[in-house]
Amino acid sequence: MTELLISGSRRPVGRKQINHEQMPARFPEGTLARMDAVLKPKEKRSDLVREAVERELERREAGKPTE
């Protein structure tokens, strides 16, 4: 049988990874349903969580008092 060579390239295929760190999170019951209810069209839960965390970090780093 003849070996079929598709590509001689050894470069990785696909997009450049933009999210390098992962952290699993658990939410109280009903939270995911609430998130789903407010998502914009084609928005992912992970996008909502990333945006919320980034906004909270900026708020805390600015020295604003927490509630």
Short mmCIF file of all heavy atoms in Angstrom, two decimals:
data_model
loop_
_atom_site.label_atom_id
_atom_site.label_comp_id
_atom_site.label_asym_id
_atom_site.label_seq_id
_atom_site.Cartn_x
_atom_site.Cartn_y
_atom_site.Cartn_z
N MET A 1 0.84 -1.17 0.00
CA MET A 1 0.00 0.00 0.00
C MET A 1 0.89 1.24 0.00
O MET A 1 1.89 1.29 0.68
CB MET A 1 -0.91 -0.04 1.21
CG MET A 1 -1.89 1.11 1.28
SD MET A 1 -3.06 0.87 2.63
CE MET A 1 -4.54 0.90 1.69
N THR A 2 0.49 2.27 -0.73
CA THR A 2 1.26 3.50 -0.84
C THR A 2 0.86 4.47 0.26
O THR A 2 -0.32 4.65 0.53
CB THR A 2 1.02 4.17 -2.20
OG1 THR A 2 1.29 3.24 -3.22
CG2 THR A 2 1.90 5.39 -2.35
N GLU A 3 1.86 5.11 0.90
CA GLU A 3 1.57 6.08 1.94
C GLU A 3 1.16 7.40 1.30
O GLU A 3 1.79 7.87 0.37
CB GLU A 3 2.82 6.30 2.81
CG GLU A 3 2.57 7.21 3.98
CD GLU A 3 3.80 7.36 4.86
OE1 GLU A 3 4.59 6.41 4.94
OE2 GLU A 3 3.94 8.43 5.46
N LEU A 4 0.10 7.98 1.79
CA LEU A 4 -0.42 9.24 1.26
C LEU A 4 0.05 10.39 2.15
O LEU A 4 -0.22 10.41 3.35
CB LEU A 4 -1.95 9.21 1.22
CG LEU A 4 -2.65 10.47 0.74
CD1 LEU A 4 -2.26 10.76 -0.72
CD2 LEU A 4 -4.15 10.32 0.84
N LEU A 5 0.78 11.33 1.58
CA LEU A 5 1.26 12.48 2.32
C LEU A 5 0.35 13.66 2.02
O LEU A 5 0.27 14.13 0.89
CB LEU A 5 2.70 12.81 1.92
CG LEU A 5 3.34 14.00 2.62
CD1 LEU A 5 3.41 13.73 4.13
CD2 LEU A 5 4.72 14.26 2.07
N ILE A 6 -0.38 14.12 3.02
CA ILE A 6 -1.30 15.24 2.85
C ILE A 6 -0.54 16.56 2.87
O ILE A 6 -0.74 17.43 2.05
CB ILE A 6 -2.39 15.25 3.96
CG1 ILE A 6 -3.17 13.95 3.97
CG2 ILE A 6 -3.30 16.45 3.81
CD1 ILE A 6 -4.02 13.70 2.76
N SER A 7 0.35 16.71 3.85
CA SER A 7 1.08 17.96 3.98
C SER A 7 2.44 17.67 4.60
O SER A 7 2.54 16.87 5.53
CB SER A 7 0.31 18.95 4.85
OG SER A 7 1.10 20.07 5.13
N GLY A 8 3.44 18.36 4.13
CA GLY A 8 4.76 18.21 4.69
C GLY A 8 5.00 19.18 5.84
O GLY A 8 6.03 19.17 6.48
N SER A 9 4.03 20.01 6.11
CA SER A 9 4.16 21.03 7.14
C SER A 9 4.03 20.42 8.53
O SER A 9 3.19 19.58 8.79
CB SER A 9 3.07 22.09 6.94
OG SER A 9 3.07 22.98 8.03
N ARG A 10 4.84 20.88 9.44
CA ARG A 10 4.77 20.43 10.82
C ARG A 10 4.20 21.52 11.71
O ARG A 10 4.22 21.42 12.92
CB ARG A 10 6.14 20.01 11.30
CG ARG A 10 6.72 18.86 10.52
CD ARG A 10 7.43 17.91 11.45
NE ARG A 10 8.05 16.84 10.70
CZ ARG A 10 7.54 15.61 10.66
NH1 ARG A 10 6.46 15.32 11.31
NH2 ARG A 10 8.16 14.69 9.95
N ARG A 11 3.73 22.61 11.11
CA ARG A 11 3.15 23.71 11.87
C ARG A 11 1.80 23.29 12.43
O ARG A 11 1.06 22.57 11.79
CB ARG A 11 2.96 24.94 10.99
CG ARG A 11 4.26 25.52 10.52
CD ARG A 11 4.08 26.76 9.68
NE ARG A 11 2.70 27.16 9.50
CZ ARG A 11 2.22 27.75 8.43
NH1 ARG A 11 3.00 28.03 7.43
NH2 ARG A 11 0.96 28.10 8.34
N PRO A 12 1.46 23.78 13.64
CA PRO A 12 0.14 23.48 14.18
C PRO A 12 -0.95 24.11 13.31
O PRO A 12 -0.73 25.16 12.70
CB PRO A 12 0.15 24.10 15.57
CG PRO A 12 1.39 24.90 15.68
CD PRO A 12 2.27 24.59 14.51
N VAL A 13 -2.07 23.48 13.29
CA VAL A 13 -3.19 23.95 12.48
C VAL A 13 -4.22 24.59 13.40
O VAL A 13 -4.42 24.16 14.52
CB VAL A 13 -3.83 22.76 11.73
CG1 VAL A 13 -5.02 23.20 10.93
CG2 VAL A 13 -2.79 22.10 10.85
N GLY A 14 -4.88 25.62 12.91
CA GLY A 14 -5.95 26.25 13.68
C GLY A 14 -5.57 27.62 14.18
O GLY A 14 -4.52 28.16 13.87
N ARG A 15 -6.47 28.16 14.99
CA ARG A 15 -6.26 29.51 15.52
C ARG A 15 -5.24 29.50 16.66
O ARG A 15 -5.06 28.50 17.34
CB ARG A 15 -7.58 30.06 16.06
CG ARG A 15 -8.59 30.33 15.00
CD ARG A 15 -9.82 30.93 15.60
NE ARG A 15 -10.56 29.84 16.26
CZ ARG A 15 -11.47 30.01 17.19
NH1 ARG A 15 -11.77 31.20 17.60
NH2 ARG A 15 -12.09 29.00 17.72
N LYS A 16 -4.63 30.66 16.87
CA LYS A 16 -3.72 30.84 17.99
C LYS A 16 -4.55 30.82 19.28
O LYS A 16 -5.61 31.42 19.35
CB LYS A 16 -3.01 32.19 17.86
CG LYS A 16 -2.04 32.47 18.96
CD LYS A 16 -1.36 33.81 18.76
CE LYS A 16 -0.45 34.13 19.91
NZ LYS A 16 0.14 35.45 19.80
N GLN A 17 -4.06 30.11 20.27
CA GLN A 17 -4.77 30.02 21.55
C GLN A 17 -4.74 31.38 22.24
O GLN A 17 -3.68 31.99 22.39
CB GLN A 17 -4.14 28.96 22.43
CG GLN A 17 -4.91 28.74 23.71
CD GLN A 17 -4.31 27.64 24.55
OE1 GLN A 17 -3.27 27.08 24.22
NE2 GLN A 17 -4.94 27.32 25.65
N ILE A 18 -5.90 31.85 22.67
CA ILE A 18 -5.96 33.15 23.35
C ILE A 18 -6.23 33.01 24.84
O ILE A 18 -5.95 33.91 25.60
CB ILE A 18 -7.03 34.07 22.72
CG1 ILE A 18 -8.40 33.43 22.78
CG2 ILE A 18 -6.65 34.45 21.30
CD1 ILE A 18 -9.54 34.35 22.39
N ASN A 19 -6.77 31.90 25.26
CA ASN A 19 -7.08 31.68 26.67
C ASN A 19 -6.13 30.61 27.21
O ASN A 19 -6.29 29.43 26.94
CB ASN A 19 -8.53 31.24 26.83
CG ASN A 19 -9.47 32.27 26.24
OD1 ASN A 19 -9.34 33.44 26.51
ND2 ASN A 19 -10.39 31.84 25.41
N HIS A 20 -5.17 31.03 27.99
CA HIS A 20 -4.12 30.12 28.41
C HIS A 20 -4.38 29.48 29.76
O HIS A 20 -3.75 28.50 30.10
CB HIS A 20 -2.78 30.86 28.45
CG HIS A 20 -2.39 31.38 27.11
ND1 HIS A 20 -1.89 30.58 26.12
CD2 HIS A 20 -2.46 32.62 26.57
CE1 HIS A 20 -1.65 31.29 25.04
NE2 HIS A 20 -2.00 32.54 25.29
N GLU A 21 -5.24 30.05 30.56
CA GLU A 21 -5.50 29.50 31.89
C GLU A 21 -6.95 29.05 31.99
O GLU A 21 -7.84 29.67 31.44
CB GLU A 21 -5.21 30.54 32.97
CG GLU A 21 -3.77 31.00 32.98
CD GLU A 21 -3.50 32.05 34.03
OE1 GLU A 21 -4.32 32.97 34.18
OE2 GLU A 21 -2.47 31.93 34.69
N GLN A 22 -7.15 27.96 32.71
CA GLN A 22 -8.49 27.45 32.90
C GLN A 22 -8.77 27.31 34.39
O GLN A 22 -7.86 27.06 35.18
CB GLN A 22 -8.64 26.08 32.25
CG GLN A 22 -8.54 26.11 30.76
CD GLN A 22 -8.79 24.73 30.17
OE1 GLN A 22 -9.12 23.78 30.87
NE2 GLN A 22 -8.64 24.62 28.87
N MET A 23 -10.04 27.47 34.75
CA MET A 23 -10.46 27.27 36.13
C MET A 23 -11.91 26.80 36.12
O MET A 23 -12.79 27.55 35.74
CB MET A 23 -10.35 28.56 36.94
CG MET A 23 -10.66 28.34 38.40
SD MET A 23 -10.80 29.87 39.32
CE MET A 23 -12.51 30.22 39.05
N PRO A 24 -12.14 25.57 36.51
CA PRO A 24 -13.53 25.13 36.58
C PRO A 24 -14.24 25.86 37.71
O PRO A 24 -13.63 26.24 38.71
CB PRO A 24 -13.43 23.64 36.87
CG PRO A 24 -12.04 23.40 37.33
CD PRO A 24 -11.19 24.54 36.88
N ALA A 25 -15.51 26.09 37.54
CA ALA A 25 -16.28 26.80 38.56
C ALA A 25 -17.63 26.11 38.75
O ALA A 25 -18.21 25.61 37.80
CB ALA A 25 -16.49 28.25 38.15
N ARG A 26 -18.10 26.13 39.96
CA ARG A 26 -19.42 25.58 40.27
C ARG A 26 -20.31 26.75 40.67
O ARG A 26 -19.88 27.68 41.35
CB ARG A 26 -19.34 24.57 41.41
CG ARG A 26 -18.51 23.35 41.03
CD ARG A 26 -18.58 22.31 42.13
NE ARG A 26 -17.78 21.16 41.82
CZ ARG A 26 -18.21 20.12 41.12
NH1 ARG A 26 -19.44 20.09 40.66
NH2 ARG A 26 -17.41 19.11 40.87
N PHE A 27 -21.56 26.68 40.24
CA PHE A 27 -22.51 27.75 40.51
C PHE A 27 -23.71 27.20 41.25
O PHE A 27 -24.07 26.03 41.07
CB PHE A 27 -22.98 28.39 39.19
CG PHE A 27 -21.88 29.08 38.43
CD1 PHE A 27 -21.20 28.44 37.41
CD2 PHE A 27 -21.51 30.38 38.75
CE1 PHE A 27 -20.18 29.07 36.72
CE2 PHE A 27 -20.50 31.03 38.06
CZ PHE A 27 -19.83 30.37 37.04
N PRO A 28 -24.36 28.04 42.06
CA PRO A 28 -25.58 27.59 42.74
C PRO A 28 -26.64 27.19 41.72
O PRO A 28 -26.65 27.69 40.58
CB PRO A 28 -26.03 28.83 43.52
CG PRO A 28 -24.82 29.69 43.65
CD PRO A 28 -23.99 29.41 42.43
N GLU A 29 -27.51 26.29 42.13
CA GLU A 29 -28.57 25.82 41.24
C GLU A 29 -29.38 27.00 40.70
O GLU A 29 -29.70 27.93 41.43
CB GLU A 29 -29.50 24.87 42.01
CG GLU A 29 -30.52 24.19 41.13
CD GLU A 29 -31.31 23.13 41.87
OE1 GLU A 29 -30.82 22.62 42.89
OE2 GLU A 29 -32.41 22.82 41.41
N GLY A 30 -29.64 26.97 39.42
CA GLY A 30 -30.42 28.02 38.77
C GLY A 30 -29.60 29.12 38.14
O GLY A 30 -30.09 29.87 37.31
N THR A 31 -28.31 29.21 38.49
CA THR A 31 -27.46 30.27 37.96
C THR A 31 -27.25 30.13 36.46
O THR A 31 -27.31 31.12 35.71
CB THR A 31 -26.10 30.30 38.68
OG1 THR A 31 -26.33 30.48 40.08
CG2 THR A 31 -25.21 31.41 38.16
N LEU A 32 -27.02 28.91 35.99
CA LEU A 32 -26.78 28.73 34.55
C LEU A 32 -28.03 29.07 33.74
O LEU A 32 -27.91 29.67 32.66
CB LEU A 32 -26.33 27.29 34.26
CG LEU A 32 -25.00 26.89 34.90
CD1 LEU A 32 -24.65 25.45 34.55
CD2 LEU A 32 -23.88 27.83 34.51
N ALA A 33 -29.20 28.76 34.26
CA ALA A 33 -30.45 29.13 33.58
C ALA A 33 -30.58 30.64 33.52
O ALA A 33 -31.01 31.19 32.49
CB ALA A 33 -31.65 28.51 34.28
N ARG A 34 -30.21 31.33 34.59
CA ARG A 34 -30.27 32.80 34.60
C ARG A 34 -29.29 33.38 33.59
O ARG A 34 -29.60 34.35 32.89
CB ARG A 34 -29.95 33.33 36.00
CG ARG A 34 -31.03 33.04 37.02
CD ARG A 34 -30.63 33.44 38.42
NE ARG A 34 -30.35 34.86 38.49
CZ ARG A 34 -29.57 35.42 39.41
NH1 ARG A 34 -28.98 34.67 40.33
NH2 ARG A 34 -29.37 36.72 39.42
N MET A 35 -28.10 32.78 33.51
CA MET A 35 -27.11 33.24 32.53
C MET A 35 -27.65 33.06 31.12
O MET A 35 -27.56 33.96 30.29
CB MET A 35 -25.79 32.47 32.71
CG MET A 35 -25.05 32.82 33.97
SD MET A 35 -23.68 31.71 34.34
CE MET A 35 -22.61 31.99 32.96
N ASP A 36 -28.19 31.89 30.84
CA ASP A 36 -28.73 31.60 29.52
C ASP A 36 -29.83 32.60 29.13
O ASP A 36 -29.94 32.99 27.97
CB ASP A 36 -29.29 30.18 29.45
CG ASP A 36 -28.20 29.12 29.50
OD1 ASP A 36 -27.03 29.46 29.22
OD2 ASP A 36 -28.53 27.96 29.81
N ALA A 37 -30.61 33.03 30.12
CA ALA A 37 -31.72 33.94 29.86
C ALA A 37 -31.25 35.34 29.45
O ALA A 37 -32.00 36.06 28.80
CB ALA A 37 -32.62 34.03 31.10
N VAL A 38 -30.03 35.71 29.80
CA VAL A 38 -29.56 37.06 29.49
C VAL A 38 -28.48 37.10 28.41
O VAL A 38 -27.99 38.17 28.07
CB VAL A 38 -29.05 37.80 30.76
CG1 VAL A 38 -30.15 37.92 31.79
CG2 VAL A 38 -27.83 37.11 31.35
N LEU A 39 -28.11 35.94 27.87
CA LEU A 39 -27.09 35.91 26.82
C LEU A 39 -27.58 36.62 25.57
O LEU A 39 -28.75 36.52 25.19
CB LEU A 39 -26.73 34.47 26.46
CG LEU A 39 -25.93 33.69 27.49
CD1 LEU A 39 -25.75 32.25 27.03
CD2 LEU A 39 -24.60 34.33 27.77
N LYS A 40 -26.66 37.32 24.91
CA LYS A 40 -26.96 37.95 23.62
C LYS A 40 -26.96 36.85 22.56
O LYS A 40 -26.40 35.78 22.77
CB LYS A 40 -25.88 38.99 23.30
CG LYS A 40 -25.82 40.11 24.31
CD LYS A 40 -24.62 41.00 24.06
CE LYS A 40 -24.48 42.01 25.17
NZ LYS A 40 -23.20 42.72 25.12
N PRO A 41 -27.57 37.10 21.40
CA PRO A 41 -27.56 36.09 20.34
C PRO A 41 -26.12 35.65 20.00
O PRO A 41 -25.23 36.48 19.87
CB PRO A 41 -28.20 36.80 19.15
CG PRO A 41 -29.06 37.85 19.77
CD PRO A 41 -28.33 38.30 21.01
N LYS A 42 -25.91 34.36 19.94
CA LYS A 42 -24.63 33.73 19.61
C LYS A 42 -23.55 33.93 20.67
O LYS A 42 -22.39 33.57 20.47
CB LYS A 42 -24.12 34.17 18.24
CG LYS A 42 -25.03 33.78 17.11
CD LYS A 42 -24.41 34.08 15.77
CE LYS A 42 -25.38 33.64 14.67
NZ LYS A 42 -24.79 33.80 13.35
N GLU A 43 -23.89 34.53 21.81
CA GLU A 43 -22.92 34.69 22.90
C GLU A 43 -22.84 33.38 23.69
O GLU A 43 -23.83 32.68 23.85
CB GLU A 43 -23.36 35.82 23.83
CG GLU A 43 -22.36 36.14 24.94
CD GLU A 43 -22.81 37.28 25.84
OE1 GLU A 43 -24.03 37.49 25.98
OE2 GLU A 43 -21.95 37.95 26.38
N LYS A 44 -21.67 33.06 24.19
CA LYS A 44 -21.46 31.86 24.97
C LYS A 44 -21.41 32.21 26.45
O LYS A 44 -21.04 33.33 26.82
CB LYS A 44 -20.15 31.18 24.57
CG LYS A 44 -20.14 30.74 23.13
CD LYS A 44 -18.79 30.15 22.79
CE LYS A 44 -18.72 29.80 21.32
NZ LYS A 44 -17.39 29.32 20.95
N ARG A 45 -21.77 31.24 27.28
CA ARG A 45 -21.69 31.45 28.73
C ARG A 45 -20.28 31.88 29.13
O ARG A 45 -20.11 32.75 29.98
CB ARG A 45 -22.00 30.16 29.47
CG ARG A 45 -23.43 29.79 29.54
CD ARG A 45 -23.55 28.52 30.36
NE ARG A 45 -24.89 27.96 30.28
CZ ARG A 45 -25.16 26.72 30.60
NH1 ARG A 45 -24.21 25.90 31.02
NH2 ARG A 45 -26.40 26.28 30.51
N SER A 46 -19.28 31.23 28.55
CA SER A 46 -17.90 31.53 28.93
C SER A 46 -17.54 32.99 28.63
O SER A 46 -16.78 33.61 29.38
CB SER A 46 -16.92 30.60 28.22
OG SER A 46 -17.09 30.66 26.82
N ASP A 47 -18.11 33.55 27.56
CA ASP A 47 -17.87 34.97 27.25
C ASP A 47 -18.46 35.85 28.35
O ASP A 47 -17.84 36.83 28.78
CB ASP A 47 -18.49 35.35 25.91
CG ASP A 47 -17.84 34.62 24.74
OD1 ASP A 47 -16.66 34.25 24.85
OD2 ASP A 47 -18.53 34.43 23.72
N LEU A 48 -19.66 35.52 28.79
CA LEU A 48 -20.32 36.28 29.86
C LEU A 48 -19.50 36.22 31.15
O LEU A 48 -19.27 37.24 31.79
CB LEU A 48 -21.73 35.75 30.10
CG LEU A 48 -22.51 36.37 31.25
CD1 LEU A 48 -22.82 37.84 30.97
CD2 LEU A 48 -23.78 35.60 31.51
N VAL A 49 -19.04 35.03 31.50
CA VAL A 49 -18.26 34.86 32.73
C VAL A 49 -16.95 35.62 32.64
O VAL A 49 -16.57 36.34 33.58
CB VAL A 49 -18.01 33.36 33.02
CG1 VAL A 49 -17.03 33.18 34.17
CG2 VAL A 49 -19.31 32.64 33.30
N ARG A 50 -16.24 35.51 31.51
CA ARG A 50 -14.97 36.23 31.34
C ARG A 50 -15.17 37.73 31.48
O ARG A 50 -14.40 38.42 32.15
CB ARG A 50 -14.38 35.91 29.96
CG ARG A 50 -13.24 34.95 30.00
CD ARG A 50 -12.51 34.87 28.67
NE ARG A 50 -13.39 34.57 27.55
CZ ARG A 50 -13.74 33.36 27.18
NH1 ARG A 50 -13.30 32.32 27.84
NH2 ARG A 50 -14.53 33.17 26.14
N GLU A 51 -16.21 38.25 30.83
CA GLU A 51 -16.48 39.69 30.88
C GLU A 51 -16.81 40.14 32.31
O GLU A 51 -16.32 41.17 32.77
CB GLU A 51 -17.65 40.01 29.95
CG GLU A 51 -17.98 41.47 29.85
CD GLU A 51 -19.15 41.73 28.91
OE1 GLU A 51 -19.21 41.10 27.84
OE2 GLU A 51 -20.00 42.56 29.27
N ALA A 52 -17.62 39.35 33.00
CA ALA A 52 -17.99 39.71 34.38
C ALA A 52 -16.79 39.69 35.31
O ALA A 52 -16.61 40.58 36.14
CB ALA A 52 -19.08 38.76 34.89
N VAL A 53 -15.94 38.68 35.18
CA VAL A 53 -14.74 38.59 36.02
C VAL A 53 -13.80 39.74 35.72
O VAL A 53 -13.26 40.38 36.64
CB VAL A 53 -14.04 37.23 35.83
CG1 VAL A 53 -12.66 37.22 36.48
CG2 VAL A 53 -14.90 36.11 36.38
N GLU A 54 -13.59 40.05 34.46
CA GLU A 54 -12.70 41.15 34.09
C GLU A 54 -13.20 42.48 34.65
O GLU A 54 -12.44 43.28 35.21
CB GLU A 54 -12.58 41.23 32.56
CG GLU A 54 -11.47 42.11 32.08
CD GLU A 54 -10.09 41.66 32.55
OE1 GLU A 54 -9.82 40.45 32.59
OE2 GLU A 54 -9.28 42.55 32.88
N ARG A 55 -14.50 42.71 34.55
CA ARG A 55 -15.10 43.94 35.07
C ARG A 55 -14.94 44.03 36.59
O ARG A 55 -14.59 45.08 37.13
CB ARG A 55 -16.58 43.99 34.68
CG ARG A 55 -17.21 45.34 34.79
CD ARG A 55 -18.59 45.45 34.16
NE ARG A 55 -19.45 44.30 34.37
CZ ARG A 55 -19.91 43.50 33.40
NH1 ARG A 55 -19.60 43.72 32.15
NH2 ARG A 55 -20.68 42.48 33.68
N GLU A 56 -15.14 42.91 37.29
CA GLU A 56 -14.99 42.90 38.75
C GLU A 56 -13.53 43.10 39.16
O GLU A 56 -13.24 43.82 40.12
CB GLU A 56 -15.54 41.59 39.32
CG GLU A 56 -15.43 41.48 40.83
CD GLU A 56 -16.26 42.50 41.60
OE1 GLU A 56 -17.11 43.19 41.00
OE2 GLU A 56 -16.06 42.62 42.83
N LEU A 57 -12.60 42.51 38.43
CA LEU A 57 -11.19 42.71 38.74
C LEU A 57 -10.79 44.17 38.57
O LEU A 57 -10.09 44.73 39.42
CB LEU A 57 -10.32 41.83 37.83
CG LEU A 57 -10.30 40.35 38.16
CD1 LEU A 57 -9.60 39.56 37.06
CD2 LEU A 57 -9.65 40.10 39.51
N GLU A 58 -11.24 44.79 37.48
CA GLU A 58 -10.93 46.20 37.27
C GLU A 58 -11.51 47.06 38.38
O GLU A 58 -10.87 47.99 38.87
CB GLU A 58 -11.47 46.65 35.91
CG GLU A 58 -10.69 46.08 34.75
CD GLU A 58 -11.33 46.36 33.40
OE1 GLU A 58 -12.36 47.06 33.34
OE2 GLU A 58 -10.78 45.87 32.39
N ARG A 59 -12.72 46.75 38.82
CA ARG A 59 -13.36 47.50 39.90
C ARG A 59 -12.56 47.37 41.19
O ARG A 59 -12.27 48.37 41.86
CB ARG A 59 -14.79 47.00 40.11
CG ARG A 59 -15.60 47.80 41.13
CD ARG A 59 -16.99 47.22 41.32
NE ARG A 59 -16.98 46.00 42.11
CZ ARG A 59 -16.95 45.98 43.45
NH1 ARG A 59 -16.93 47.11 44.12
NH2 ARG A 59 -16.96 44.84 44.10
N ARG A 60 -12.16 46.15 41.52
CA ARG A 60 -11.42 45.94 42.76
C ARG A 60 -10.01 46.54 42.69
O ARG A 60 -9.51 47.07 43.68
CB ARG A 60 -11.34 44.46 43.09
CG ARG A 60 -12.68 43.89 43.48
CD ARG A 60 -12.57 42.45 43.88
NE ARG A 60 -13.87 41.90 44.20
CZ ARG A 60 -14.04 40.83 44.96
NH1 ARG A 60 -13.00 40.20 45.49
NH2 ARG A 60 -15.25 40.38 45.20
N GLU A 61 -9.38 46.42 41.54
CA GLU A 61 -8.03 46.97 41.39
C GLU A 61 -8.03 48.49 41.47
O GLU A 61 -7.04 49.10 41.86
CB GLU A 61 -7.41 46.51 40.08
CG GLU A 61 -7.06 45.03 40.08
CD GLU A 61 -6.71 44.48 38.71
OE1 GLU A 61 -6.97 45.14 37.69
OE2 GLU A 61 -6.15 43.37 38.67
N ALA A 62 -9.13 49.11 41.12
CA ALA A 62 -9.23 50.56 41.19
C ALA A 62 -9.41 51.05 42.63
O ALA A 62 -9.43 52.24 42.88
CB ALA A 62 -10.39 51.04 40.32
N GLY A 63 -9.56 50.12 43.57
CA GLY A 63 -9.67 50.49 44.97
C GLY A 63 -11.06 50.84 45.42
O GLY A 63 -11.24 51.39 46.50
N LYS A 64 -12.05 50.53 44.61
CA LYS A 64 -13.41 50.81 45.00
C LYS A 64 -13.83 49.83 46.08
O LYS A 64 -13.47 48.66 46.04
CB LYS A 64 -14.37 50.67 43.80
CG LYS A 64 -14.07 51.67 42.71
CD LYS A 64 -15.00 51.48 41.53
CE LYS A 64 -14.64 52.44 40.42
NZ LYS A 64 -15.44 52.20 39.22
N PRO A 65 -14.57 50.30 47.08
CA PRO A 65 -14.98 49.40 48.16
C PRO A 65 -15.95 48.33 47.65
O PRO A 65 -16.72 48.57 46.72
CB PRO A 65 -15.67 50.32 49.15
CG PRO A 65 -16.03 51.53 48.40
CD PRO A 65 -15.05 51.64 47.26
N THR A 66 -15.84 47.15 48.23
CA THR A 66 -16.76 46.07 47.85
C THR A 66 -18.07 46.23 48.61
O THR A 66 -18.13 46.89 49.64
CB THR A 66 -16.15 44.69 48.20
OG1 THR A 66 -15.87 44.65 49.58
CG2 THR A 66 -14.89 44.44 47.40
N GLU A 67 -19.09 45.64 48.09
CA GLU A 67 -20.42 45.75 48.70
C GLU A 67 -20.54 44.82 49.88
O GLU A 67 -19.99 43.83 49.99
CB GLU A 67 -21.50 45.42 47.67
CG GLU A 67 -21.51 46.43 46.55
CD GLU A 67 -22.56 46.08 45.50
OE1 GLU A 67 -23.58 45.49 45.84
OE2 GLU A 67 -22.31 46.39 44.35
#
